[in-house]
Amino acid sequence: MSEERSLNFLEEIIENDIAEGVNNGRIHTRFPPEPNGYLHIGHATSICLNFGLAKKYNGKCNLRFDDTNPVTEETEYVESIKNDIKWLGFQWDNEFYASDYFDKLYNFAVALIRKGLAYVDDLSAEQIAATKGSTTAPGTNSPNRDRSIEENLQLFSEMRDGKYKDGEKTLRAKIDMAHPNLLLRDPLMYRIKHEHHHRTGDKWCIYPMYDYAHGQSDSIEEITHSICTLEFIHHRPLYNWFIEQLGIFPSHQYEFARRNLTYTVMSKRKLLQLVNENHVSGWDDPRMPTISGMRRRGYPPAALRQFSDTIGIAKRENIVDISMLEFCVRENLNKTANRVMAVLDPLKLVITNYPEGQEDIFDAENNPEDPNGGTRPVPFSRELWIEREDFMENPPKKFFRLGPGNLVRLKSAYIVKCEGCIKDEQGNITEVHCTYLPESKSGQDTSGLSVKGTIHWVSIGHAQTAEVRMYDRLFRVEDPSNEEGNFKDYINPDSMNVLPRVYIEPELMKARPGDTVQFMRKGYFCVDIDSTKNKLIFNRTVTLKDAWAKEVKRG
Ligand code: ATP
Ligand code: MG
């Protein structure tokens, strides 16, 4: 699919640049996360884009931590980000930190002051906002705008030396207070923050603003194509202004539309609230749209890459249906996940003509989609667990599972004929009784019968128990951020349903955290990191079919 699609607009720009010999055809991108949270699926698409373009055009891609805000950034986030990128299958050419450039950025600022293009202002944040003007009215000049170069140099170095309190002074670019683009009305370059930084410690008490630091960091690294999301489109003239005035390497900024997903939220601020207020168990809760959550849930990295490739890149904001991501997950797991049997809602089945104490060991195929998938032994005996929903005492016509008189194949084993059931005093069905046809053994069936239904089972004497965590969407509505009130009002109260006693095949005890299997007829499940050697815990990764699509159709 990806080979056939036409070039996206960034690929067109890049191929044009290569053809024209811009930067001698050199392509260098970067992924610039702010280490203030865990990465989410939106970031994953940005990673695929930046690393993918570098790979496609024999270029390079840097990982740059945009760590210019000391208050929200932590080393824990840096480590998780690196881990997530590697897991997605990418390797950066260089690992850089915007904070490594604090000295250079300071010197650039001094150069702008020397050129009369930056000044120290005493106005408070409120006063600056009040004098910004509006889209229809020009702003007004700060009374400090015409300070001499010497005075600005002096004040700026005093700012750095800690002579002033937070908010007392700022450094502003001297552009035009009547500029039609409000972002160019003498924007802030530096603010004072007496805060400890996760890498530079207490060396600095002034920190550069995003708009000032970002383009200069790109330029220092000689990034050729600086790709960011659409909300920065109006920042591009400022990005260019700094680079032009400083006369440094001309990096270029290109914007594409942020990707959003239905039934979740994506801003790190909101995700942090979900974590801090215990709506989820952590950043890697399997219901979270974070890369770590999806990994824990059992989404394969190839599915995330395929998703990113499939949705492509757009110039307009859009919200992507989460079922598209789930489709990619299913497609990948269908090829790789072993098929195993697990009974989630058990009912006892007794095969009355199968001798007590006898057992068969079947050699079951692991994955019909994978010729090299191998087989595994599956024990069979007189008493089995089956799914409660696979038996009906008075089944309707087209019920091809167990009902009195019906023939059904037990997967990988025999055809059985249902003889009836046993109930307790309250009328609950406690056992289903069947007889089996010894000549119908799977693979060497001479019965001549063809049956419509096949059901899965687990031998009671051999079964192991496991816990299964069934997940559903974290939110009840498509776009919780766009609803009235607080997004948290729309959390789905049934997003996790724990089944404490599920029966699994004994071979499955060999599975390790992170392994994903298909529970036949039930969905894909992944071994959770909370598992112990003796007790496995499974996360439902995704159902076999899109249950929500059906519901919508039913209305
Ligand atoms: P958030 O608003 O979720 O906190 P952010 O933009 O502040 O995200 P950054 O760490 O600054 O997060 O983002 C790193 C890179 O990932 C940026 O280049 C940003 O444009 C990109 N990115 C972030 N969110 C998305 C998204 N939803 N879709 C595509 N790219 C994204
Ligand atoms: Mg950001």
Side-chain angles (χ1 to χ4, degrees):
M1 183 189 222
S2 59
E3 267 100 18
E4 286 160 29
R5 70 165 167 75
S6 53
L7 296 183
N8 64 47
F9 76 92
L10 287 170
E11 290 167 335
E12 274 174 17
I13 289 169
I14 288 178
E15 296 203 357
N16 227 2
D17 285 349
I18 292 174
E20 288 176 8
V22 178
N23 297 313
N24 299 318
R26 186 177 61 83
I27 303 301
H28 203 150
T29 58
R30 86 288 172 264
F31 174 65
E34 188 180 347
N36 61 349
Y38 281 62
L39 297 181
H40 52 62
I41 179 74
H43 295 115
T45 63
S46 176
I47 291 168
C48 291
L49 181 64
N50 281 294
F51 283 90
L53 287 172
K55 198 167 175 185
K56 179 166 181 187
Y57 296 106
N58 289 316
K60 289 186 172 165
C61 183
N62 291 351
L63 169 60
R64 183 196 318 136
F65 290 100
D66 208 335
D67 58 350
T68 52
N69 183 357
V71 187
T72 52
E73 293 153 4
E74 286 175 32
T75 310
E76 176 198 345
Y77 297 137
V78 169
E79 291 311 314
S80 79
I81 288 169
K82 291 203 271 188
N83 192 24
D84 286 349
I85 298 173
K86 279 191 235 160
W87 177 78
L88 268 178
F90 297 105
Q91 183 56 55
W92 46 92
D93 291 284
N94 300 290
E95 177 182 332
F96 290 136
Y97 294 79
S99 57
D100 291 343
Y101 309 139
F102 281 171
D103 281 297
K104 280 188 181 143
L105 293 171
Y106 181 86
N107 292 334
F108 284 154
V110 168
L112 289 175
I113 295 174
R114 287 224 161 91
K115 287 179 89 174
L117 294 172
Y119 62 96
V120 172
D121 202 352
D122 307 342
L123 295 188
S124 66
E126 294 75 34
Q127 288 168 319
I128 290 177
T131 51
K132 262 264 143 99
S134 68
T135 44
T136 48
T140 43
N141 286 354
S142 163
N144 309 303
R145 200 172 193 266
D146 293 318
R147 277 184 163 139
S148 70
I149 289 172
E150 285 64 39
E151 191 184 359
N152 279 321
L153 288 172
Q154 165 88 24
L155 291 172
F156 188 47
S157 90
E158 287 173 359
M159 277 169 66
R160 180 195 56 189
D161 295 341
K163 194 165 166 196
Y164 305 108
K165 290 199 284 292
D166 287 11
E168 221 179 308
K169 294 213 176 338
T170 57
L171 184 73
R172 297 177 73 179
K174 192 170 176 177
I175 306 179
D176 179 0
M177 285 307 288
H179 200 286
N181 181 341
L182 268 72
L183 293 167
L184 277 83
R185 293 185 185 173
D186 291 10
L188 291 198
M189 292 170 61
Y190 273 91
R191 63 221 188 292
I192 299 172
K193 271 194 184 185
H194 290 271
E195 295 282 352
H196 189 84
H197 185 279
H198 77 118
R199 295 190 91 234
T200 57
D202 296 313
K203 178 175 174 195
W204 296 90
C205 63
I206 56 171
Y207 291 96
M209 303 298 290
Y210 174 89
D211 275 332
Y212 173 62
H214 199 85
Q216 282 41 258
S217 301
D218 284 342
S219 179
I220 290 167
E221 295 173 19
E222 303 203 337
I223 299 301
T224 57
H225 297 78
S226 173
I227 300 161
C228 64
T229 41
L230 215 53
E231 68 272 23
F232 290 104
I233 196 162
H234 303 298
H235 299 241
R236 198 196 317 155
L238 183 55
Y239 180 103
N240 293 338
W241 187 89
F242 282 124
I243 285 181
E244 277 159 26
Q245 301 307 326
L246 288 165
I248 53 181
F249 179 83
S251 295
H252 280 275
Q253 174 183 303
Y254 302 91
E255 306 86 13
F256 75 105
R258 208 166 251 278
R259 277 72 165 276
N260 298 305
L261 261 194
T262 54
Y263 297 100
T264 191
V265 294
M266 220 98 110
S267 107
K268 279 182 271 187
R269 193 176 47 81
K270 288 183 180 149
L271 296 175
L272 187 62
Q273 280 182 55
L274 294 177
V275 173
N276 286 345
E277 296 168 21
N278 298 317
H279 296 290
V280 293
S281 65
W283 283 99
D284 69 344
D285 185 297
R287 291 164 293 179
M288 288 282 270
T290 51
I291 297 179
S292 48
M294 292 182 176
R295 172 168 61 237
R296 185 165 174 188
R297 177 123 173 205
Y299 285 17
L304 271 62
R305 294 196 299 266
Q306 183 188 341
F307 171 71
S308 174
D309 215 39
T310 310
I311 61 176
I313 57 166
K315 285 191 191 177
R316 227 184 268 162
E317 283 270 339
N318 52 0
I319 180 158
V320 181
D321 194 330
I322 197 167
S323 55
M324 191 114 112
L325 175 60
E326 290 168 349
F327 171 83
C328 296
V329 171
R330 275 187 204 103
E331 257 210 345
N332 276 274
L333 291 179
N334 179 43
K335 289 179 228 145
T336 57
N338 283 348
R339 275 60 170 167
V340 297
M341 296 199 276
V343 174
L344 305 187
D345 182 16
L347 174 63
K348 186 171 174 180
L349 175 91
V350 181
I351 301 170
T352 52
N353 63 340
Y354 193 92
E356 254 171 84
Q358 185 174 313
E359 64 173 34
D360 267 297
I361 307 283
F362 295 110
D363 216 18
E365 193 183 11
N366 281 329
N367 186 353
E369 301 289 325
D370 179 3
N372 303 317
T375 59
R376 68 184 187 290
V378 181
F380 178 89
S381 65
R382 177 183 163 91
E383 296 189 338
L384 311 174
W385 292 122
I386 60 165
E387 239 28 274
R388 188 162 283 277
E389 63 180 18
D390 283 339
F391 172 78
M392 278 183 89
E393 200 181 4
N394 299 299
K397 260 218 158 88
K398 295 225 160 138
F399 187 76
F400 299 121
R401 293 171 272 168
L402 289 170
N406 280 3
L407 289 173
V408 162
R409 173 166 298 280
L410 297 174
K411 178 74 188 167
S412 302
Y414 299 102
I415 294 175
V416 291
K417 181 173 183 211
C418 183
E419 310 288 353
C421 64
I422 290 182
K423 295 185 197 172
D424 64 11
E425 282 156 15
Q426 286 83 44
N428 303 312
I429 297 165
T430 55
E431 281 181 19
V432 176
H433 285 192
C434 286
T435 49
Y436 85 116
L437 286 74
E439 70 277 18
S440 66
K441 194 168 181 169
S442 197
Q444 46 204 81
D445 183 354
T446 56
S447 70
L449 293 168
S450 92
V451 295
K452 284 223 165 89
T454 300
I455 65 170
H456 63 276
W457 51 273
V458 176
S459 163
I460 291 180
H462 302 87
Q464 300 283 327
T465 55
E467 175 183 315
V468 167
R469 297 172 180 170
M470 305 287 268
Y471 295 106
D472 204 339
R473 289 167 186 180
L474 190 50
F475 289 91
R476 292 184 280 119
V477 295
E478 277 202 358
D479 192 1
S481 306
N482 233 343
E483 295 282 343
E484 224 171 276
N486 191 295
F487 76 100
K488 287 175 285 181
D489 300 341
Y490 299 91
I491 292 178
N492 175 5
D494 302 316
S495 63
M496 178 162 91
N497 179 19
V498 177
L499 308 178
R501 256 185 111 72
V502 159
Y503 294 110
I504 59 173
E505 300 180 12
E507 271 295 292
L508 201 44
M509 290 309 285
K510 292 182 182 157
R512 289 289 156 261
D515 289 353
T516 304
V517 291
Q518 185 194 97
F519 287 173
M520 268 180 240
R521 302 172 65 223
K522 287 287 149 194
Y524 293 99
F525 292 78
C526 173
V527 182
D528 191 74
I529 43 176
D530 285 348
S531 302
T532 59
K533 206 163 182 296
N534 299 320
K535 170 124 190 258
L536 292 182
I537 298 172
F538 288 90
N539 298 314
R540 181 169 71 189
T541 307
V542 68
T543 52
L544 290 179
K545 292 197 192 100
D546 189 346
W548 285 60
K550 252 187 279 164
E551 244 165 66
V552 173
K553 258 187 235 140
R554 271 195 237 114

